[in-house]
Amino acid sequence: MGYIGLPTASTFATHGIEVVGVDVNPHIIETLQSGELHIYEPGLRDLVKTAVENGKLHVQAKPEKADAFIIAVPTPFKGEKLADMSFVTSAAHAIVPCLREGNLVVLESTSPPLTTAGLVAPILEESGLKAGKDFKLCYSPERVLPGQILRELIENDRIIGGVDRSSAEAGRDLYSAFVKGTIHLTDATTAEMVKLMENTYRDVNIAIANEFSRLADRFGIDVWEAIALANKHPRVKILNPGPGVGGHCISVDPWFLVEAAPDITPLIHTARKVNDSQPEFVVKLVKKALGSLRNRRIALLGLSYKADVDDMRESPAVETAHLLVQEGAKVKAFEPYKTTAEIPGLELVSSLAEVFADAEAVLVLVPHTPIRTLEPEVVAKLTPARVVIDTVNTWPQDKWTAGGFKVFRLGVGRF
Ligand code: SAJ
């Protein structure tokens, strides 16, 4: 019942399907049963409410017999950037006692190539039933963008890879309950690769934007202007540099390919390294703006991994905050979408007034709507700070300069 499972379950349930939502975390079950949500996603609260009120969505700790089972558990790292498949493994084991002939099982979790056929099928076959023969088995990646999950779940095209053709067709029949995009059928391993290729493609493209920001800084130009001009070319579409790549997807998934085939993935590996080291580049920028970091009071705006989400997993903003603290800076951080969050080693405050109160500099790391729309006159009244370090090009330089602030932007090598 996480970021993917809960929206998917609720969407099925509001399209006439009886859904049992399973989670091993009793706190999540209690929260959902009491009508509350443990995650933020625009529109999700209303959707879950409708699904529960119309009696189609029940949440519980264990699966029960069903026609179809969907596994949407996390595949995080274990140790040094290796895929931790233990949640997939235990979810598959939990299904075994409930599995009957004719059932469909779908894995949605982003997984290394060959997981469906090589890891999930053998576990499910402990039931005595054979994948593809007695039950259907598919891999169908979630491809929804956090912040727009509910719309993309329905409108995006969907890839369904079966261990055999009839499995893929059964997957198509299930998801056509709500998917309006085209449903494309393929084999399970291709579907696994498609998902990893999509996120790796984006990671590599953000890495080049981040590398351009470093080059722009060195050569005294404005990377944002240069990217806008380069993007006038009909076949160029450079993405935005920033403090790095976070979240549970793009900063994780490319490593699954590197782990699976380290000898043939130097580009993917390097892109990951570039994006992971971008917080260090931000710290250098802050140092340049302030001269030194020790005991300098910095108001840090935004901690989640990107704008208008509350998810702080693998967040480069959190990494940047830790690096600044390590360098002796006195950091106060404010995350508008999680004002009660606690992160060991960081001082989080719950309001703009608190974060600004005695700051010397303002560091913008995430262009959340309530941060992006701040006006210099308002901020000037809340803080003695007159230095702004903008890593996401969100506060128009001219306006903030006219408002009395000295603005340092990431990837702009002239001040
Ligand atoms: N970012 C940049 N510059 C950009 C775009 C993004 O630095 O120009 C950063 C963001 O700030 C964030 C990270 O990259 O830290 C990832 O953000 P994102 O919006 O690109 O993607 P996610 O991780 O929220 O969602 C991605 C999506 N994948 C693709 O767009 C190929 C989504 O469709 C997937 O479903 C999702 O991963 C997933 O679950 O795998």
Side-chain angles (χ1 to χ4, degrees):
M1 289 293 94
Y3 281 96
I4 300 302
L6 183 59
T8 305
S10 320
T11 303
F12 271 118
T14 48
H15 286 75
I17 304 218
E18 297 267 352
V19 183
V20 172
V22 179
D23 204 289
V24 292
N25 182 339
H27 171 69
I28 292 178
I29 299 292
E30 279 163 33
T31 308
L32 291 171
Q33 279 171 342
S34 68
E36 294 298 318
L37 289 200
H38 58 296
I39 49 177
Y40 171 75
E41 172 65 28
L44 186 60
R45 178 172 288 275
D46 287 346
L47 189 74
V48 173
K49 194 165 174 272
T50 311
V52 170
E53 278 174 3
N54 69 15
K56 294 282 188 191
L57 175 64
H58 300 274
V59 286
Q60 59 191 49
K62 286 211 158 71
E64 59 185 47
K65 287 193 173 121
D67 297 311
F69 299 86
I70 297 179
I71 302 175
V73 293
T75 44
F77 288 141
K78 62 169 188 231
E80 265 305 292
K81 316 283 189 198
L82 303 175
D84 179 356
M85 301 308 290
S86 60
F87 300 105
V88 170
T89 307
S90 61
H93 277 297
I95 292 171
V96 172
C98 309
L99 198 64
R100 289 169 306 168
E101 219 173 316
N103 281 172
L104 165 68
V105 181
V106 184
L107 175 64
E108 284 204 16
S109 311
T110 306
S111 300
L114 299 169
T115 297
T116 308
L119 179 73
V120 176
I123 295 174
L124 296 174
E125 288 177 351
E126 288 171 15
S127 63
L129 302 171
K130 201 97 195 89
K133 186 169 157 277
D134 304 317
F135 68 94
K136 325 266 181 209
L137 178 59
C138 295
Y139 180 77
S140 182
E142 61 82 10
R143 302 161 97 197
V144 287
L145 193 72
Q148 304 183 26
I149 289 180
L150 301 188
R151 184 176 62 73
E152 291 206 356
L153 206 51
I154 291 172
E155 289 178 10
N156 286 4
D157 280 13
R158 187 140 202 140
I159 311 293
I160 301 190
V163 293
D164 66 337
R165 184 73 192 180
S166 74
S167 291
E169 284 167 2
R172 178 194 56 203
D173 293 346
L174 176 66
Y175 285 97
S176 57
F178 66 77
V179 171
K180 292 215 175 83
T182 307
I183 297 180
H184 306 269
L185 304 190
T186 182
D187 65 87
T189 310
T190 301
E192 291 162 352
M193 272 297 290
V194 167
K195 169 70 192 185
L196 295 171
M197 283 161 55
E198 290 166 358
N199 280 357
T200 301
Y201 167 86
R202 195 155 169 84
D203 195 45
V204 171
N205 278 282
I206 298 169
I208 200 154
N210 283 334
E211 206 156 277
F212 288 154
S213 74
R214 300 174 193 187
L215 288 164
D217 184 71
R218 173 152 321 164
F219 296 121
I221 65 146
D222 178 336
V223 76
W224 307 94
E225 181 195 357
I227 289 175
L229 293 174
N231 284 349
K232 301 280 181 211
H233 185 289
R235 285 174 297 284
V236 173
K237 178 78 191 83
I238 301 167
L239 295 175
N240 292 322
V245 169
H248 187 48
C249 311
I250 296 188
S251 66
V252 176
D253 304 350
W255 287 113
F256 292 1
L257 291 175
V258 175
E259 180 188 354
D263 53 324
I264 47 173
T265 46
L267 174 65
I268 299 171
H269 194 155
T270 303
R272 277 284 68 244
K273 292 271 181 207
V274 169
N275 288 335
D276 272 356
S277 60
Q278 194 71 350
E280 288 159 30
F281 180 59
V282 172
V283 170
K284 281 197 195 127
L285 176 66
V286 179
K287 210 181 248 170
K288 198 148 98 181
L290 292 177
S292 65
L293 289 176
R294 182 147 297 278
N295 292 327
R296 306 306 293 274
R297 297 182 307 279
I298 300 170
L300 188 155
L301 302 185
L303 279 173
S304 70
Y305 84 92
K306 68 170 188 176
D308 296 323
V309 302
D310 72 342
D311 189 347
M312 297 195 213
R313 289 178 296 178
E314 318 289 333
S315 169
V318 173
E319 173 67 12
T320 305
H322 281 306
L323 290 176
L324 288 169
V325 170
Q326 269 167 30
E327 297 259 351
K330 298 210 173 313
V331 176
K332 272 189 194 160
F334 175 61
E335 170 45 62
Y337 291 97
K338 236 179 198 163
T339 50
T340 56
E342 282 180 28
I343 301 178
L346 291 185
E347 185 182 350
L348 264 65
V349 296
S350 55
S351 69
L352 278 172
E354 280 174 275
V355 79
F356 283 139
D358 59 353
E360 288 174 72
V362 177
L363 172 61
V364 186
L365 290 175
V366 188
H368 290 308
T369 305
I371 291 173
R372 182 174 47 77
T373 51
L374 283 170
E375 294 293 334
E377 305 77 55
V378 176
V379 176
K381 286 194 189 112
L382 292 171
T383 183
R386 289 296 175 268
V387 171
V388 163
I389 302 134
D390 182 352
T391 65
V392 280
N393 197 30
T394 198
W395 285 351
Q397 177 140 13
D398 293 351
K399 184 163 134 185
W400 283 75
T401 306
F405 289 88
K406 183 154 193 212
V407 180
F408 296 82
R409 282 183 298 146
L410 176 123
V412 181
R414 49 166 189 251
F415 301 119

